[in-house]
């Protein structure tokens, strides 16, 4: 085996394998281990066949002991195995082999709660455990992902020296930053995934409206998405959807591939962790929750088919002109702003309450390239978050405020039209309800407060005076019930 390697990687499936190749191509020497050696062998063989600068930088090992022995100290080991029990399995076998000062990085989609726990268990043996979000899918891992490490600052300094060159490069710098203490890296990745869910769902809803609301053919929808992608809605997800909607069926004679793709999504995606964390921290993220719910509802095909027969007909297209398409674009943009406002508000709360100390503007910066939600839009988010004193909510930013005001009419018309046609827009309309709630100085929850005081003497605050009040409500109307089948005239 060649001299001490710069970094070890455990788990050589798609993400781990591509990160290994990425490291090697940037001149880092990597020792790779996979539970099943055939995967390691396949990676080595594939690399051997290619001529590139990283050739020869990867060593495959059969045992964790060999991996540990192959690394320069302090050791830096990136774990890229399936989130959940596999990470604990690996840590249980790996940690006893390590020395104080070694750093283990979990680059999977682990829950931040698991990361908090592992920081403590690994720390007990002097090993520094770092939770790091990695985004960008297979291509990102190979050509430059967005990297979101958290944990102790000293560990970050040690990692940054290695990882910075492998991260995606945006016009604003490499897509890696210190995300904050403890489990901050995985929390930031979780927020990324929640926003990604919302972004994807909003675009899917726009497609539904263009197709089933306005009756546009696939090629025209693709053109609309391509046009949006050339303007303020430009994003990786918009660009790929422009291609997706016009792709021909690769197994059929004619027709669209999209028409053959089943609508049932998995129930296990990592975006589901966002509503859970949001409830724990007491922050409302209705657009992200709507996107998660949309996938849960999609996973009930039998129920949907039965109810579709019972409550037919399906929506009938109402052909409209350019104005309707423009309104849908405005709805997409406004809904997107609300989703980001929610995600960043949740992150701000975690940065404070969980003591992450995350720099939110930096997070927006490292999502600018490499990751799935990459877009020009993130520049505006970063500018808004970096403005001093930063707005604690994106909707307070003057520039976003102007955009929302400009989009508001089209947003409302879009939701109105879709509602009239019976086309659900879970994320776009959840955003509108969110906006119409947070922009109101007085909400109908005063009724809720009154109800609580009446039935439970919970007390309430008044608008016009300080202090807490409770009233002796007249309960006549609630207690005097007409007896069942009793005397109607009595
Ligand atoms: P495998 O190739 O041996 O299945 C994604 O599933 C990656 O996680 C794969 O590299 C897989 O290894 C690895 N993995 C899953 N469970 C694991 C475990 N309990 N211990 C080690 N690696 C595991």
């Amino acid at each position: 085996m060649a001299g001490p390697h710069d970094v070890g990687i455990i788990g050589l499936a798609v993400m781990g394998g591509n990160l290994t190749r990425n490291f090697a191509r940037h001149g880092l020497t990597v020792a790779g281990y996979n539970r099943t050696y055939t995967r390691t062998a396949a990676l080595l063989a594939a690399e051997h066949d290619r001529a590139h600068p990283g050739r020869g930088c990867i060593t495959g090992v059969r045992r964790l002991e060999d991996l540990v022995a192959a690394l320069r100290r302090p050791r830096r080991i990136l774990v890229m195995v399936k989130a959940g029990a596999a990470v604990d399995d690996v840590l249980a076998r790996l940690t006893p082999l390590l020395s104080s000062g070694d750093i283990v990085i979990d680059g999977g989609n682990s829950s931040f709660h698991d990361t908090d726990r592992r920081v403590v268990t690994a720390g007990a043996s002097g090993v520094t455990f770092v939770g790091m979000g990695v985004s960008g899918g297979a291509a990102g891992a190979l050509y430059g992902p967005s990297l979101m490490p958290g944990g102790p600052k000293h560990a970050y300094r040690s990692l940054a020296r290695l990882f910075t060159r492998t991260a995606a490069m945006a016009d604003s710098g490499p897509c890696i930053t210190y995300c904050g203490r403890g489990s901050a890296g995985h929390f930031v990745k979780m927020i990324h995934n929640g926003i990604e869910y919302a972004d994807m769902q909003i675009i899917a809803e726009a497609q539904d409206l263009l197709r089933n609301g306005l009756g546009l053919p696939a090629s025209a929808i693709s053109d609309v998405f391509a046009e949006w992608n050339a303007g303020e809605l430009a994003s990786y997800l918009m660009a790929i959807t422009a291609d997706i909607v016009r792709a021909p069926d690769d197994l059929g004679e004619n027709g669209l591939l999209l028409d053959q793709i089943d609508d049932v999504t998995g129930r296990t995606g990592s975006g589901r962790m966002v509503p859970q964390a949001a409830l724990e921290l007491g922050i409302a993220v209705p657009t992200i929750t709507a996107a998660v719910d949309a996938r849960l509802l999609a996973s009930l095909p039998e129920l949907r088919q039965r109810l579709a027969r019972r409550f037919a007909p399906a929506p009938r297209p109402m052909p409209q002109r350019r104005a309707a398409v423009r309104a849908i674009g405005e709805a997409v943009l406004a809904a997107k702003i609300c989703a980001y406002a929610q995600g960043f508000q949740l992150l701000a709360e975690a940065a404070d309450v969980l003591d992450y100390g995350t720099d939110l503007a930096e997070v927006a910066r490292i999502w600018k390239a490499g990751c799935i939600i990459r877009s020009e839009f993130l520049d505006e988010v970063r500018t808004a978050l970096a403005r001093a004193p930063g707005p604690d909510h994106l909707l307070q930013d003057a520039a976003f405020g102007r955009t929302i005001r400009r989009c508001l009419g089209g947003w409302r018309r879009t939701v109105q039209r879709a509602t009239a046609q019976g086309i659900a827009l879970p994320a776009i309309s959840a955003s509108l309800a969110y906006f119409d709630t947070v922009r109101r100085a007085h909400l109908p929850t005063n009724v809720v407060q009154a109800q609580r005081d009446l039935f439970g003497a919970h007390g309430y605050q008044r608008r016009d005076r300080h202090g807490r009040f409770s009233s002796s409500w007249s309960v006549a109307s609630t207690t005097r019930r007409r007896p069942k089948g009793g005397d109607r005239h009595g």
Side-chain angles (χ1 to χ4, degrees):
M1 197 177 301
H5 292 65
D6 297 315
V7 61
I9 300 201
I10 297 176
L12 302 176
V14 179
M15 291 299 283
N18 279 356
L19 281 172
T20 304
R21 292 158 68 192
N22 179 350
F23 283 136
R25 282 159 200 210
H26 284 92
L28 295 170
T29 49
V30 195
Y33 165 88
N34 194 74
R35 178 179 60 177
T36 319
Y37 187 75
T38 44
R39 226 193 258 281
T40 313
L43 176 74
L44 293 173
E47 281 299 281
H48 186 73
D49 288 345
R50 290 191 187 93
H52 59 74
R55 210 175 140 184
C57 289
I58 306 172
T59 303
V61 298
R62 289 176 185 270
R63 304 181 318 145
L64 281 179
E65 287 80 356
D66 300 333
L67 181 90
V68 170
L71 298 176
R72 87 170 68 252
R73 295 172 70 166
R75 302 180 183 92
R76 285 160 295 197
I77 302 175
L78 177 59
V79 179
M80 294 300 300
V81 303
K82 212 167 146 43
V87 179
D88 290 313
D89 269 6
V90 167
L91 285 179
R93 292 196 294 131
L94 178 66
T95 320
L97 308 174
L98 297 178
S99 316
S100 183
D102 289 347
I103 302 171
V104 176
I105 308 118
D106 172 17
N109 263 337
S110 296
S111 121
F112 71 97
H113 289 304
D114 283 347
T115 302
D116 281 330
R117 173 173 56 76
R118 289 167 187 150
V119 164
V120 175
T121 28
S125 39
V127 171
T128 301
F129 185 77
V130 167
M132 179 171 80
V134 178
S135 177
L142 184 56
Y143 299 112
S146 173
L147 297 174
M148 300 157 237
K153 195 80 185 247
H154 69 84
Y156 175 73
R157 284 194 207 99
S158 165
L159 297 179
R161 275 199 290 278
L162 291 184
F163 288 8
T164 300
R165 58 185 119 163
T166 69
M169 184 56 94
D171 47 10
S172 46
C175 293
I176 178 170
T177 196
Y178 175 60
C179 287
R181 292 177 281 272
S183 56
H186 278 140
F187 198 98
V188 167
K189 176 67 196 308
M190 178 189 75
I191 296 290
H192 168 280
N193 287 10
I195 290 176
E196 174 188 314
Y197 270 46
D199 266 346
M200 293 168 77
Q201 175 65 25
I202 290 167
I203 296 174
E205 290 172 13
Q207 188 273 160
D208 193 14
L209 268 184
L210 293 168
R211 180 133 197 219
N212 300 309
L214 301 185
L216 292 189
S219 58
I221 298 173
S222 177
D223 291 345
V224 169
F225 285 170
E227 191 187 314
W228 288 351
N229 192 48
E232 56 193 340
L233 280 172
S235 72
Y236 168 71
L237 284 168
M238 190 63 80
I240 62 168
T241 315
D243 292 338
I244 286 170
V245 294
R246 74 183 325 150
D249 180 4
D250 49 2
L251 294 184
E253 295 289 303
N254 42 45
L256 296 168
L257 179 54
L258 198 53
D259 289 342
Q260 303 308 329
I261 295 180
D262 195 14
D263 55 12
V264 176
T265 55
R267 283 170 167 234
T268 54
S270 53
R272 292 174 67 172
M273 291 190 258
V274 176
Q276 283 166 355
L279 286 176
E280 285 167 25
L281 290 168
I283 299 291
V285 293
T287 309
I288 297 171
T289 303
V292 175
D293 284 347
R295 294 196 189 184
L296 295 179
L297 293 172
S299 70
L300 302 171
E302 290 86 14
L303 174 69
R304 288 188 288 116
Q305 265 143 36
R306 276 199 300 276
L307 294 181
R309 283 192 293 274
R310 176 170 299 179
F311 294 105
R316 283 227 319 269
M318 298 197 304
Q320 308 265 344
R321 284 155 300 280
R322 295 281 316 158
V325 175
R326 192 171 347 106
I328 296 171
E330 288 163 352
V332 167
L333 181 56
K336 176 171 172 154
I337 292 171
C338 288
Y340 281 68
Q342 294 162 25
F344 274 98
Q345 195 191 14
L346 179 54
L347 184 54
E349 183 72 6
D352 180 21
V353 174
L354 305 180
D355 197 31
Y356 289 153
T358 310
D359 179 338
L360 303 191
E362 267 293 283
V363 170
R365 184 187 68 73
I366 63 163
W367 288 346
K368 177 81 192 298
C371 67
I372 305 296
I373 64 169
R374 59 185 182 262
S375 68
E376 295 296 318
F377 175 81
L378 279 159
D379 273 344
E380 293 169 53
V381 174
R382 177 165 73 107
T383 310
L385 293 168
R387 217 165 263 150
D392 53 11
H393 193 283
L394 283 185
L395 291 179
Q396 288 192 75
D397 178 68
F400 280 122
R402 280 193 296 276
T403 307
I404 289 277
R405 224 172 277 123
R406 170 165 57 80
C407 292
L408 192 52
W411 194 10
R412 288 199 194 289
R413 278 195 300 284
T414 298
V415 173
Q416 277 163 359
R417 255 193 233 118
T419 308
Q421 286 178 286
I423 298 175
L425 302 178
I428 291 175
S429 50
S431 277
L432 184 54
Y434 176 78
F435 171 72
D436 277 334
T437 301
V438 294
R439 74 174 177 83
R440 290 222 10 224
H442 300 299
L443 289 171
T445 35
N446 60 346
V447 176
V448 174
Q449 287 300 79
Q451 290 163 336
R452 293 176 68 245
D453 188 51
L454 186 151
F455 67 65
H458 291 290
Y460 56 86
Q461 287 169 308
R462 294 182 58 101
R463 282 185 203 162
D464 58 348
R465 298 164 204 216
H466 290 297
R468 200 136 184 104
F469 294 81
S470 189
S471 298
S472 47
W473 299 84
S474 155
V475 292
S477 57
T478 58
T479 52
R480 203 192 307 136
R481 278 251 194 89
R482 205 173 276 145
K484 229 178 179 178
D487 180 9
R488 279 168 188 267
H489 307 287

